[in-house]
Amino acid sequence: MAEPAVDYAAVFQALPGAVALVTPQLIFADANAEFLRLRGLPREQLVGRFLPEDRPDKDPAEPLLLRVLASLRRAAATGERSIVALQRYDSEDPDQPGVWHERYFNMTNIPVFGADGRVTMLLHRVEDVTELIRAREVALTLQEAMLPAPRPVGRHPAAVRYRPAAEALNVAGDWYDLVDLPGDRIAVAVGDVVGHGLYAAGVMGQLRSALTAASLVPEGPARALEVLGLYARTVDGAENTTVATAFIDWENHTITYSSAGHPPPALLHGDGNVEFLDQATDPPLAARPQHGPRIQAVAAFREGAVLVLYTDGLIERRGEDIDMGLARLADSLGRHQADDPETLADAVLTDLTPPGDATDDTALVIVRL
């Protein structure tokens, strides 16, 4: 049976994404219907045009054009695909002159090789991700609304941070909380729901509120996580959530803590040494076949020490042992020991999750003891 003939020109035109063919000399050779629609040009006004002349002088998009040109030239020279990720390019409303709309695009330039192995054409793909960015902004606003606003807790200085992943277009289920307790005590917690998106953020909101209420019972953090674990078994998507919580008592200078499968809190002592509180770790919430009691441990501190709780986005890297991330955290805390909590929080995030490099969401709480 003969293979059916494929009309590749028709396939090219029918592609749902915006695609153009550009020569290594940066001349438009062809463009599909979606690319022409996106550009608002008929084919005859685009094909044959030199790409650097594709914008009028003093166009506000000139920096973007320079990045696109550099990417195309790089793909032509190296024979490897080149990506221009998440670029903003506002467009004027065709029905309302003078009204501009915020737009975001990803661009990929892919070399096409001839029979002699040389690059003969560049496939220039433009992906409009404006709606994804808007959805993410809405999701981030929702998540931030479910996290407690920074506020004084007791009489002790504290700082909180939430940083979304650089490469994700969805929010995650990371959270933090600080709760006033009777006496000179507070409860501090961080948690991480499995998954991303609005659903995970919704589960996060339920668990955070439940843990806040459970922390007010007098038995301590292990009992609070036990109650939270029972509740997690009734919430779809809450299984395997990790949580660490610590009750700080300034009268006795003690930290009573418990962890449900979460990275250990860090206690920065006055001499610069960092102690990871890892003596009370149980499985994540609802991970056991049967519900059971949880354990807790106690650590002593002196005035001036610093307690740090965080989610795994701060320390974990793909293909790397977690101990390396913990070592980076200990080093950063030691170098910035004298900083106030707000300054220290910014320094730790800068050291461990440089802007644009974070691969997972991160929640962080720092309390000066």
Side-chain angles (χ1 to χ4, degrees):
M1 181 176 177
E3 294 184 0
V6 178
D7 186 344
Y8 288 101
V11 172
F12 178 75
Q13 289 299 326
L15 289 173
V19 180
L21 288 173
V22 181
T23 70
Q25 295 75 37
L26 305 184
I27 302 292
F28 279 109
D30 203 351
N32 73 348
E34 181 61 19
F35 190 93
L36 296 172
R37 185 198 65 79
L38 191 65
R39 290 298 314 278
L41 291 173
R43 185 176 182 276
E44 57 270 18
Q45 290 186 19
L46 186 74
V47 173
R49 180 182 293 184
F50 185 41
L51 198 150
E53 297 176 348
D54 193 37
R55 296 284 186 273
D57 292 341
K58 298 182 181 180
D59 190 310
E62 182 180 357
L64 172 57
L65 177 60
L66 294 176
R67 285 190 287 272
V68 173
L69 293 176
S71 175
L72 285 162
R73 289 179 175 127
R74 185 162 52 249
T78 65
E80 298 178 355
R81 71 173 54 199
S82 178
I83 296 174
V84 185
L86 200 58
Q87 300 295 316
R88 177 174 172 177
Y89 175 49
D90 295 351
S91 61
E92 189 173 15
D93 192 319
D95 299 321
Q96 302 180 72
V99 176
W100 291 77
H101 298 290
E102 192 174 290
R103 305 288 295 277
Y104 293 89
F105 299 91
N106 288 331
M107 302 181 194
T108 306
N109 297 308
I110 305 169
V112 179
F113 300 93
D116 59 358
R118 295 183 179 182
V119 176
T120 59
M121 204 66 66
L122 297 165
L123 190 69
H124 176 57
R125 179 175 182 269
V126 179
E127 181 184 13
D128 187 341
V129 295
T130 304
E131 293 306 318
L132 287 175
I133 295 300
R134 288 173 180 165
R136 186 184 189 230
E137 289 172 353
V138 170
L140 284 172
T141 300
L142 173 62
Q143 185 171 40
E144 290 171 359
M146 291 191 291
L147 292 173
R151 60 183 176 83
V153 179
R155 59 183 180 85
H156 304 280
V160 296
R161 295 290 187 274
Y162 173 76
R163 174 177 287 180
E167 65 181 29
L169 290 178
N170 285 312
V171 295
D174 294 34
W175 88 84
Y176 59 80
D177 205 0
L178 296 94
V179 182
D180 279 311
L181 299 176
D184 195 6
R185 300 187 304 142
I186 67 169
V188 185
V190 293
D192 186 359
V193 174
V194 175
H196 292 82
L198 288 174
Y199 189 83
V203 173
M204 173 272 288
Q206 295 179 73
L207 294 180
R208 186 192 71 79
S209 298
L211 182 58
T212 299
S215 296
L216 297 174
V217 301
E219 288 88 348
R223 178 58 175 163
L225 288 186
E226 183 181 340
V227 171
L228 184 65
L230 280 170
Y231 177 66
R233 291 177 179 272
T234 71
V235 178
D236 289 340
E239 61 276 0
N240 294 313
T241 293
T242 67
V243 189
T245 183
F247 287 22
I248 307 171
D249 187 333
W250 275 274
E251 293 181 0
N252 297 319
H253 284 81
T254 59
I255 301 168
T256 306
Y257 64 93
S258 185
S259 173
H262 202 81
L267 179 58
L268 173 63
H269 293 285
D271 60 3
N273 288 324
V274 174
E275 175 186 0
F276 287 103
L277 306 184
D278 57 3
Q279 300 303 301
T281 300
D282 275 334
L285 300 181
R288 292 168 167 162
Q290 301 295 326
H291 179 74
R294 292 188 174 269
I295 60 174
Q296 62 186 35
V298 179
F301 68 87
R302 293 185 178 179
E303 186 175 351
V306 175
L307 180 65
V308 181
L309 281 78
Y310 52 92
T311 53
D312 58 9
L314 186 69
I315 60 168
E316 290 188 353
R317 298 294 180 270
R318 294 190 182 106
E320 180 182 277
D321 190 273
I322 191 174
D323 288 340
M324 296 182 67
L326 294 175
R328 276 195 301 270
L329 174 57
D331 176 72
S332 178
L333 292 173
R335 287 188 290 107
H336 303 288
Q337 179 180 5
D339 291 347
D340 62 86
E342 294 289 340
T343 304
L344 180 57
D346 290 337
V348 167
L349 284 176
T350 298
D351 287 348
L352 274 72
T353 60
D357 191 44
T359 57
D360 195 5
D361 290 33
T362 297
L364 175 67
V365 181
I366 293 180
V367 183
R368 176 71 71 176
L369 303 176

